[in-house]
Coordinates of all heavy atoms in Angstrom, one line a residue:
R1 N 126.4 101.7 44.2 CA 125.9 102.9 43.4 C 124.6 103.4 44.0 O 124.3 104.5 44.1 CB 125.8 102.6 41.9 CG 127.2 102.4 41.2 CD 127.0 102.5 39.8 NE 126.2 101.4 39.3 CZ 126.8 100.2 39.0 NH1 128.0 100.0 39.0 NH2 126.0 99.2 38.4
Q2 N 123.7 102.3 44.2 CA 122.4 102.6 44.7 C 122.4 103.3 46.1 O 121.7 104.3 46.4 CB 121.5 101.4 44.7 CG 121.1 100.9 43.3 CD 120.2 99.5 43.4 OE1 119.2 99.6 43.7 NE2 121.0 98.5 43.2
V3 N 123.3 102.7 46.9 CA 123.4 103.1 48.3 C 123.9 104.5 48.4 O 123.5 105.4 49.1 CB 124.1 102.2 49.2 CG1 124.4 102.8 50.6 CG2 123.4 100.8 49.3
R4 N 124.9 104.8 47.5 CA 125.5 106.1 47.5 C 124.4 107.1 47.2 O 124.3 108.3 47.7 CB 126.6 106.2 46.5 CG 128.1 105.5 47.0 CD 129.0 105.4 45.9 NE 130.2 104.8 46.4 CZ 131.2 105.5 46.8 NH1 131.2 106.8 46.9 NH2 132.3 104.9 47.2
E5 N 123.6 106.8 46.2 CA 122.5 107.7 45.8 C 121.5 107.9 46.9 O 121.1 109.0 47.1 CB 121.8 107.2 44.5 CG 122.6 107.3 43.3 CD 122.1 106.6 42.1 OE1 120.8 106.2 42.2 OE2 122.7 106.4 41.0
L6 N 121.2 106.8 47.6 CA 120.3 106.8 48.6 C 120.7 107.8 49.8 O 119.8 108.6 50.3 CB 120.0 105.4 49.2 CG 118.9 105.2 50.3 CD1 118.3 103.8 50.3 CD2 119.5 105.5 51.8
V7 N 121.8 107.7 50.2 CA 122.4 108.6 51.3 C 122.9 109.9 50.9 O 123.2 110.7 51.7 CB 123.5 107.8 52.1 CG1 123.0 106.4 52.6 CG2 124.7 107.6 51.3
S8 N 123.0 110.2 49.6 CA 123.8 111.4 49.2 C 123.0 112.7 49.7 O 123.7 113.7 49.9 CB 123.9 111.5 47.8 OG 122.6 111.5 47.0
A9 N 121.7 112.7 49.8 CA 121.0 114.0 50.1 C 120.7 114.0 51.6 O 120.1 114.9 52.1 CB 119.7 114.1 49.3
R10 N 121.1 113.0 52.4 CA 120.8 112.9 53.8 C 121.8 113.6 54.6 O 122.9 114.0 54.3 CB 120.7 111.5 54.3 CG 119.6 110.6 53.6 CD 119.4 109.2 54.4 NE 118.9 109.6 55.7 CZ 117.6 109.8 55.9 NH1 116.7 109.9 55.0 NH2 117.2 110.0 57.2
R11 N 121.4 114.0 55.9 CA 122.2 114.5 56.8 C 122.1 113.6 58.1 O 121.0 113.2 58.4 CB 121.7 116.0 57.1 CG 121.9 117.0 56.1 CD 121.3 118.3 56.4 NE 122.2 119.0 57.3 CZ 123.4 119.6 56.9 NH1 123.8 119.7 55.6 NH2 124.1 120.3 57.8
I12 N 123.2 113.4 58.8 CA 123.3 112.7 60.0 C 123.7 113.6 61.1 O 124.8 114.1 61.0 CB 124.0 111.4 59.8 CG1 125.3 111.6 59.3 CG2 123.2 110.4 59.1 CD1 126.2 110.4 59.3
G13 N 123.0 113.7 62.2 CA 123.5 114.6 63.4 C 123.6 116.0 62.9 O 124.5 116.6 63.4
G14 N 122.9 116.5 61.8 CA 123.2 117.9 61.3 C 124.3 118.0 60.4 O 124.6 119.1 60.1
K15 N 124.9 117.0 60.0 CA 126.2 117.0 59.1 C 125.9 116.3 57.9 O 125.2 115.2 57.8 CB 127.3 116.3 59.8 CG 127.8 117.0 61.2 CD 129.0 116.4 61.7 CE 129.5 117.2 62.9 NZ 130.7 116.6 63.5
A16 N 126.3 116.9 56.8 CA 126.1 116.3 55.5 C 126.8 115.1 55.2 O 127.9 115.0 55.5 CB 126.4 117.4 54.4
V17 N 126.1 114.0 54.7 CA 126.9 112.8 54.3 C 127.8 113.1 53.3 O 128.9 112.3 53.3 CB 125.8 111.8 53.9 CG1 126.5 110.5 53.4 CG2 124.9 111.3 55.1
E18 N 127.5 113.9 52.4 CA 128.6 114.3 51.3 C 130.0 114.5 51.9 O 130.9 114.0 51.2 CB 128.2 115.4 50.5 CG 127.0 115.0 49.5 CD 127.3 114.0 48.5 OE1 128.4 114.1 47.9 OE2 126.5 113.0 48.3
R19 N 130.2 115.2 52.9 CA 131.5 115.5 53.4 C 132.2 114.2 54.0 O 133.3 114.1 53.7 CB 131.3 116.6 54.6 CG 132.7 116.8 55.3 CD 133.7 117.4 54.3 NE 135.0 117.7 55.0 CZ 135.3 118.9 55.6 NH1 134.4 119.8 55.8 NH2 136.4 118.9 56.1
F20 N 131.4 113.4 54.7 CA 132.0 112.1 55.1 C 132.4 111.3 53.8 O 133.5 110.7 53.9 CB 130.9 111.4 55.9 CG 131.2 109.9 56.2 CD1 132.3 109.6 57.0 CD2 130.4 108.9 55.7 CE1 132.6 108.2 57.2 CE2 130.8 107.6 55.9 CZ 131.8 107.3 56.7
R21 N 131.5 111.2 52.9 CA 131.8 110.4 51.7 C 133.1 110.9 51.0 O 134.0 110.1 50.6 CB 130.7 110.4 50.6 CG 129.7 109.4 51.2 CD 128.5 109.5 50.1 NE 129.0 109.4 48.7 CZ 128.3 109.6 47.6 NH1 127.0 109.8 47.8 NH2 128.8 109.6 46.5
A22 N 133.3 112.3 51.0 CA 134.5 112.8 50.3 C 135.6 112.5 51.1 O 136.8 112.2 50.6 CB 134.4 114.4 50.2
D23 N 135.6 112.6 52.5 CA 136.8 112.2 53.3 C 137.2 110.8 53.1 O 138.3 110.4 52.9 CB 136.4 112.5 54.7 CG 136.4 114.0 55.1 OD1 137.0 114.8 54.4 OD2 135.6 114.3 56.0
L24 N 136.1 109.9 53.1 CA 136.5 108.5 53.0 C 137.0 108.2 51.6 O 137.9 107.3 51.5 CB 135.1 107.7 53.2 CG 135.3 106.2 53.2 CD1 136.1 105.8 54.5 CD2 133.9 105.5 53.3
D25 N 136.5 108.8 50.6 CA 136.9 108.5 49.2 C 138.5 109.0 49.1 O 139.2 108.4 48.2 CB 136.1 109.2 48.1 CG 134.7 108.5 48.0 OD1 134.7 107.3 48.4 OD2 133.9 109.0 47.4
A26 N 138.7 110.0 49.8 CA 140.2 110.4 49.8 C 141.1 109.5 50.5 O 142.3 109.3 50.1 CB 140.3 111.8 50.5
V27 N 140.6 108.8 51.5 CA 141.4 107.7 52.2 C 141.4 106.4 51.5 O 142.4 105.7 51.3 CB 140.8 107.6 53.5 CG1 141.6 106.4 54.3 CG2 140.9 108.8 54.4

């Protein structure tokens, strides 16, 4: 829970982490 909060507002390589998390949670 803490790590999800930590990375939620970050961007990596110009891409939002939220999109990656949503894709991963779907899988």
Side-chain angles (χ1 to χ4, degrees):
R1 290 192 296 271
Q2 294 179 72
V3 173
R4 284 174 181 265
E5 292 175 5
L6 184 152
V7 302
S8 63
R10 296 194 64 80
R11 297 178 70 84
I12 48 174
K15 297 185 178 181
V17 171
E18 283 297 315
R19 176 61 184 271
F20 166 66
R21 281 180 44 190
D23 288 335
L24 186 63
D25 286 345
V27 177

